[in-house]
Amino acid sequence: MKSRGCLLGLILLSTLAAGQPFTCSFEGYKPIEGIQAQMKGGSLELTWQGEAGQQLEVQFSIEDGHPVIRRLAARGSSTWNVLAKDLIPDFQVTTGRRRISSTQRKLLKKFGIDTAAEEDVRKWNTFWDAPLVIPGGGDTTDLPRTADEIQRASVSYNSRSCSLTSTGARASVTFEGLRLGLFSGELEFTVYKGSNLLRQEAIAKTDKPSVAYIYKAGLKGFSIENYTRVVWRDTARQWQHYAFGGAVNNQP
């Protein structure tokens, strides 16, 4: 997790509907050709040049302690097309405990290096370990697993401000106060000149030992209509699409 000291640079203030000031430090930001940043209408607005000259825009704010994407838009021939409003960054995590295999442990003993430190390093190579299987079996050590080892959690936020930084051809917006189960840290969004990508990531850590985890990430709040669809280019750079409008999926 990144650590940051006290921010003493330029602080720009605006007022949210709830009456709380939204502050964002520009101390680590230097203007980049093709990326513009400004405070506008109580939000931090980033506009940038995407792929093939596409113009893109995202507006950030904070509401009741959690970061919000107020607006996500792409410019058409003459006007901005609003893709979504008031989106909430969402993360879900399931955690368990990583164990070394009995085969690995036997090999460590054979070579006289069966120490806690060696096991702690090598158990992360036990790709066949199954931390969510109770009580467990097979080649796994230190069984049985118990249900209380497994925790499932959704993200919560206690953000009061953001910071804007830039490096190379990218700009990042960081919000403190992220908590995700056993993890805590920051939420960060990054835009890249020449790319339509808006990158969202949780930069967090835990002090608990042997934590195996799997997570989901996304944005909540998109309006889904019968004509709504998602279009993307796959790893073979072929265009794919998915049309919504069918029966609602009640499960993930």
Side-chain angles (χ1 to χ4, degrees):
M1 183 182 74
K2 299 177 183 176
S3 60
R4 292 181 172 85
C6 183
L7 298 174
L8 301 177
L10 177 63
I11 302 296
L12 301 180
L13 303 180
S14 60
T15 303
L16 298 178
Q20 297 296 322
F22 173 51
T23 66
C24 199
S25 169
F26 279 53
E27 180 183 346
Y29 175 74
K30 293 182 180 179
I32 302 170
E33 182 181 357
I35 301 177
Q36 291 81 44
Q38 63 174 333
M39 296 300 294
K40 181 179 180 181
S43 298
L44 170 64
E45 180 184 88
L46 286 181
T47 55
W48 75 100
Q49 179 182 315
E51 186 175 341
Q54 173 77 65
Q55 292 298 307
L56 305 158
E57 176 195 286
V58 62
Q59 295 179 0
F60 298 100
S61 189
I62 295 176
E63 182 176 314
D64 297 328
H66 59 76
V68 179
I69 293 181
R70 290 294 185 197
R71 171 173 145 130
L72 191 61
R75 189 172 181 86
S77 57
S78 59
T79 59
W80 286 97
N81 299 315
V82 178
L83 305 176
K85 290 184 176 181
D86 298 326
L87 301 176
I88 305 298
D90 187 33
F91 296 90
Q92 300 171 22
V93 68
T94 300
T95 54
R97 176 186 161 197
R98 174 64 73 201
R99 288 167 164 83
I100 197 168
S101 71
S102 59
T103 299
Q104 288 172 299
R105 181 173 284 173
K106 289 175 182 177
L107 287 172
L108 292 177
K109 289 181 178 179
K110 178 180 178 180
F111 292 105
I113 55 173
D114 183 26
T115 65
E118 285 290 337
E119 285 202 9
D120 192 51
V121 170
R122 296 172 188 273
K123 65 186 165 187
W124 298 105
N125 296 327
T126 315
F127 63 86
W128 56 89
D129 185 29
L132 304 183
V133 176
I134 299 172
D139 195 33
T140 306
T141 58
D142 305 327
L143 296 176
R145 290 191 183 89
T146 58
D148 58 4
E149 293 181 23
I150 301 171
Q151 298 184 33
R152 293 176 171 85
S154 296
V155 72
S156 64
Y157 299 98
N158 186 24
S159 301
R160 296 182 177 85
S161 63
C162 75
S163 60
L164 176 65
T165 59
S166 59
T167 179
R170 69 183 67 179
S172 297
V173 182
T174 305
F175 297 86
E176 88 289 339
L178 176 145
R179 290 198 63 85
L180 183 58
L182 301 177
F183 299 89
S184 61
E186 303 168 332
L187 169 69
E188 187 166 279
F189 292 93
T190 303
V191 300
Y192 304 82
K193 179 184 175 181
S195 171
N196 289 19
L197 176 69
L198 172 63
R199 180 173 180 171
Q200 172 187 312
E201 55 191 328
I203 304 174
K205 71 174 184 177
T206 179
D207 293 325
K208 298 289 185 180
S210 305
V211 175
Y213 65 94
I214 184 171
Y215 71 94
K216 301 175 183 178
L219 290 167
K220 296 191 300 185
F222 284 96
S223 177
I224 304 299
E225 308 293 346
N226 287 336
Y227 54 82
T228 305
R229 64 177 183 155
V230 175
V231 181
W232 72 96
R233 194 154 55 189
D234 63 21
T235 55
R237 301 191 67 80
Q238 299 298 309
W239 285 105
Q240 307 287 345
H241 77 277
Y242 177 83
F244 293 88
V248 174
N249 293 317
N250 293 318
Q251 299 298 324

